[in-house]
Amino acid sequence: MITAQDHFSAKLAYETDASDVHTARAAGETIAVVDVRSDEAWAQGRVVDAIHMHYSEIATRAPQEIPAGTPVVVYCWSPGCNAGDKGALEFAKLGYDVRLMIGGFEYWVREGYPVENADGVHRRPVDPLTGVPRIRTRA
């Protein structure tokens, strides 16, 4: 019988969130962050320095572009999108250590982390429903 401890331990082994990805990258950890969305979605905005690789291209492109042994985090649009799961499955088939960024791009943006598009790098204010906005005061 699978226990709650088994379930949540396994879940945490294969999932991460925007906060943990941002923290790991800020600490200098090497992680290939892969955006598995469409070209149109990519152009609209993405995690800074993410790799754009639609989930249908992973089997052919990943071995050429992401060195074996590199930890991979995949994301799609939002909690309502399963493209991230499809991408994670493709990376798992290739033997990569892969995790799904739960919440996807939506929560990356809502939590106020940097977003990149053709105009450069931007940050939106933290959504108080997903994170704690920093209170700035004048000194």
Side-chain angles (χ1 to χ4, degrees):
M1 177 175 176
I2 296 176
T3 66
Q5 181 178 347
D6 295 334
H7 169 79
F8 290 109
S9 293
K11 186 174 179 178
L12 288 169
Y14 300 111
E15 292 181 348
T16 189
D17 64 17
S19 176
D20 288 343
V21 172
H22 183 265
T23 299
R25 291 173 92 194
E29 290 184 34
T30 300
I31 303 170
V33 178
V34 180
D35 183 320
V36 300
R37 300 173 303 148
S38 68
D39 292 341
E40 296 83 8
W42 169 263
Q44 184 175 337
R46 61 221 171 239
V47 171
V48 175
D49 294 328
I51 299 165
H52 184 226
M53 192 177 301
H54 189 267
Y55 66 85
S56 65
E57 302 171 337
I58 291 169
T60 55
R61 287 184 53 199
Q64 311 290 326
E65 299 177 35
I66 301 174
T70 302
V72 174
V73 171
V74 299
Y75 71 88
C76 63
W77 268 113
S78 69
C81 174
N82 72 357
D85 295 278
K86 292 174 183 178
L89 176 59
E90 292 302 314
F91 276 105
K93 288 178 184 178
L94 295 171
Y96 285 88
D97 174 15
V98 60
R99 291 183 293 158
L100 173 69
M101 186 171 79
I102 60 172
F105 183 67
E106 175 188 349
Y107 278 73
W108 181 269
V109 173
R110 291 177 73 185
E111 292 179 26
Y113 299 119
V115 174
E116 182 177 25
N117 64 17
D119 296 325
V121 176
H122 314 276
R123 277 185 187 251
R124 291 188 178 180
V126 174
D127 180 338
L129 296 176
T130 63
V132 179
R134 291 181 187 89
I135 298 172
R136 294 188 174 99
T137 59
R138 292 187 176 168

